[in-house]
Amino acid sequence: MSVVDRGADEVLLGFTRALRAAGVPVTHDRAHGFLAATATLGLDSQRATYLAGRATLCGGPDDLERYDQVFTAYFDGRDGLPRPRPAQQGVPGFSGLPDTEATGAGESEQEDEVVRAKASDAEVLRHRDVATLSAAEKHRLTAMFATLRPRPPARRTARHQQWHRGQLDASRTLRASLRRMGEPGEIAWRRRRVRPRRVVLLVDVSGSMSGYADALLRLAHRFTQVGRSGGGVVETFTVGTRLTHLTRAMRIGDPERALIAAGETVPDWSGGTRLGETLRFFLDRWGQRGMARGAVVVVFSDGWERGDPSLLGEQMARLHRVAHRVVWVNPHRGKAGYEPVQQGVLAALPHCDDFVAGHSLATFAELSEVISRA
Amino acid sequence: MEPSNPADIAPGDLAQRLGATGYLCDDALATVTYLALKMQRPLLLEGEPGTGKTALAEAIAEALGLPLVRLQCYEGIDATQALYDWDFPRQILHLRALEAAGAAGGPSVEEAEKSLYDARFLLARPVLQALQQSPAVLLVDEVDRADDEFEAFLLEVLSTYQVSIPELGTVRAATPPIVVLTSNRTRELHDALKRRCLYHWIDHPGLEREVEIVRSRAPEVSEELRLQVVRIVQTLRGRDDLQKPPGVAETLDWARALNYLGTAEIDLAAASATLGALVKYREDAERVRHALDQMLRS
């Protein structure tokens, strides 16, 4: 780093700080790499510094775009550094179970009654439509999401693992006997290895779904967290007027913080629905290349399509050809008198493997069953 | 070309040398490649399929006169496919030979056992090969297809450039190989791996550069046809309704295909006959045929 003097170092590090403030995750070793790269190229030209930073400080196409903006702003001394969006208002921070005050040993009959009443209350809440809940009820329901234990779906891979029964593992058996200088010994067995299948959640956050968005993102968060602990991958996107990759936000452990992060990431809350177009974008950018390939894809939407329903049908057909299984979750499906008559639903239904309800905690639990069996 | 020490190359020189092999790159890519050589850091390339990620590794190897070792990643790849394995049948054969010789007073059991794990029974897989042959270019192709565990393993090798084999000891590269990783972004790579690497996103080339590329890669194609092909491809890439917009590889294929048919100027018949070289989906073919019809008429 001898080429770069102290003053220049400070300027360059100041730039990494500005970049961090603009939302590019610049770590210390990345910043260090940047200094080393500029030292290699020399500080004579701004273009060299620009290229050195691009190579060392960025990790994806999203970063590159921000990088360009910050670089111009910082080194040309112009205003207008992109700032992180202010935190969305109205996402409350809760903690703890709200209805667990009754933890004392319920000796008297009266206390027993209270506990029982609460339990059945919770049972009722499980079946209530989440869009119709009051703020207090929602608050209680959030804690109940922790009771969902979705199992990631499994697939058998081409590879084998040692097992105590199954197929004969000739190679391992021979290897073991070789280790004993050719003496025969115990026979090894193997079976096809089982790996969790990827789950892709596409959550419609358009206006008609706004009552469900909060609950569905909580569900997505739960899936992501439980899936991760089981070694599986759950990818979450929101669809509406545009497609937003939410997996990073959903990986934050604390559900409230994850939801706040999601709120900051998604730009089109309660906008219109152009499901066909966003689906096409998803398939072009992510799905066809592997994100949806062989995965269980779950679409959460009520099917109120503003765009061309035939486009939606075409894209659902594409999705169906790429994915292992396509599950459509409709919040209205479980309600009395519901008929799938919306044009969007009609166009999409022929290309779905499952069409399930999704308006209450109980239906979410059923959905997790459908996914784990897929 | 004589093998050259990567550390001795000047930045401008590198682009020129790559150009001499037929790989034309802009100053951004040339600079980041130069940095990768100088800083001895792996180079992570992302971008649309067919923009020349893999070709860059091949070009670097050719330009510097170094051997290219290629590791194709796939789901379920593990360390034995990337590093080394023991040649089991030959070990058995060796054992049988020892047995036969044993009757006439061959080696003791310990010696026999030791001789089984000799370097000659070692099958070096790409990563080990690259370390042994270094200086070399190691291409880790489509790293996004491999699993997380494999990524962690790669990270370990790429940070130390050494591999330890319990029976033989540690293999360390005298000079770290030049490592090029490519990814199609089917999944997000781990941050730890990305941080080790220099990152570059390769875009589709502009009109002029693409014409240059066709000129250098398919010199048999006439000037006129070349320009026409590239114009059409660039227009098609601008459309947003194609499932798989054509990459540079498709441009080259199409130009060559048209040339084989003796086409001097593209008409709808020649284009339809060769469309399979350009687009790979039935729906896309329909759309492109329609667009071409309009383009050629106007």
Side-chain angles (χ1 to χ4, degrees), chain A residues 47 55 59 155 288-289, chain B residues 27 75 186 194-195 199 281:
Chain A
R47 175 80 180 155
R155 65 180 172 82
Q288 190 135 0
R289 306 224 193 118
Chain B
D27 75 318
E75 195 175 334
T186 59
K194 281 187 165 182
R195 284 210 309 269
Y199 178 81
Y281 287 91

Side-chain angles (χ1 to χ4, degrees), chain A residues 151-373:
Chain A
R151 282 171 294 117
R155 65 180 172 82
R156 283 167 57 183
T157 65
R159 293 187 178 277
H160 292 88
Q161 67 181 154
Q162 266 181 285
W163 204 242
H164 50 82
R165 58 193 155 82
Q167 270 178 293
L168 179 69
D169 189 342
S171 137
R172 193 177 296 277
T173 308
L174 276 173
R175 235 168 242 272
S177 93
L178 181 74
R179 212 167 290 130
R180 287 184 291 269
M181 300 297 277
E183 287 299 307
E186 213 174 315
I187 291 174
W189 305 95
R190 63 182 195 174
R191 68 161 186 181
R192 296 273 290 277
R193 199 180 289 181
V194 176
R195 299 205 50 174
R197 198 180 271 285
R198 189 184 294 118
V199 178
V200 179
L201 309 174
L202 302 174
V203 185
D204 185 349
V205 292
S206 60
S208 58
M209 289 286 287
S210 59
Y212 297 97
D214 182 75
L216 291 179
L217 286 186
R218 275 178 203 283
L219 183 66
H221 179 259
R222 189 72 196 143
F223 274 130
T224 310
Q225 296 299 324
V226 176
R228 285 197 108 186
S229 63
V233 178
V234 178
E235 298 276 358
T236 307
F237 292 83
T238 58
V239 293
T241 50
R242 45 196 291 188
L243 180 80
T244 314
H245 190 202
L246 261 194
T247 305
R248 202 175 275 251
M250 289 293 118
R251 288 198 175 152
I252 298 172
D254 177 46
E256 302 307 332
R257 278 185 46 224
L259 252 70
I260 291 172
E264 287 170 10
T265 317
V266 177
D268 57 339
W269 290 109
S270 305
T273 323
R274 290 207 298 271
L275 208 50
E277 265 171 62
T278 35
L279 209 53
R280 183 176 70 196
F281 188 70
F282 166 74
L283 283 164
D284 287 346
R285 171 89 192 263
W286 302 88
Q288 190 135 0
R289 306 224 193 118
M291 179 80 87
R293 209 171 275 285
V296 178
V297 181
V298 188
V299 184
F300 296 89
S301 174
D302 54 3
W304 282 108
E305 171 71 348
R306 286 256 197 84
D308 179 6
S310 69
L311 178 67
L312 177 61
E314 194 180 309
Q315 297 308 316
M316 284 300 287
R318 261 180 87 193
L319 182 63
H320 194 214
R321 286 199 291 267
V322 171
H324 170 70
R325 210 170 170 83
V326 177
V327 183
W328 186 291
V329 185
N330 191 323
H332 306 307
R333 166 82 161 87
K335 294 176 193 169
Y338 171 76
E339 293 281 338
V341 289
Q342 295 85 358
Q343 287 200 306
V345 181
L346 283 182
L349 266 189
H351 310 293
C352 298
D353 298 296
D354 293 290
F355 183 49
V356 298
H359 61 281
S360 65
L361 198 63
T363 55
F364 292 158
E366 284 163 24
L367 169 66
S368 0
E369 269 305 299
V370 170
I371 294 177
S372 15
R373 278 199 314 267

Side-chain angles (χ1 to χ4, degrees), chain B residues 67-139:
Chain B
L68 174 73
V69 185
R70 178 177 178 150
L71 173 66
Q72 172 67 47
C73 295
Y74 50 88
E75 195 175 334
I77 189 174
D78 62 22
T80 53
Q81 279 119 29
L83 271 187
Y84 68 90
D85 210 348
W86 291 103
D87 191 343
F88 183 54
R90 280 193 62 203
Q91 278 176 324
I92 291 212
L93 208 62
H94 178 67
L95 206 60
R96 291 284 168 265
L98 283 184
E99 258 176 23
S108 73
V109 175
E110 289 86 45
E111 280 170 351
E113 207 169 306
K114 221 175 157 193
S115 70
L116 272 182
Y117 290 102
D118 191 79
R120 66 197 163 112
F121 297 122
L122 190 72
L123 296 173
R125 305 287 189 214
V127 172
L128 185 61
Q129 275 174 28
L131 294 181
Q132 284 172 336
Q133 296 177 13
S134 196
V137 179
L138 172 63
L139 165 64

Side-chain angles (χ1 to χ4, degrees), chain A residues 117-128 140 144 362:
Chain A
K118 280 205 165 170
S120 78
D121 202 22
E123 192 51 32
V124 171
L125 201 55
R126 266 174 60 80
H127 292 276
R128 289 274 302 277
R140 285 187 50 204
M144 288 165 64

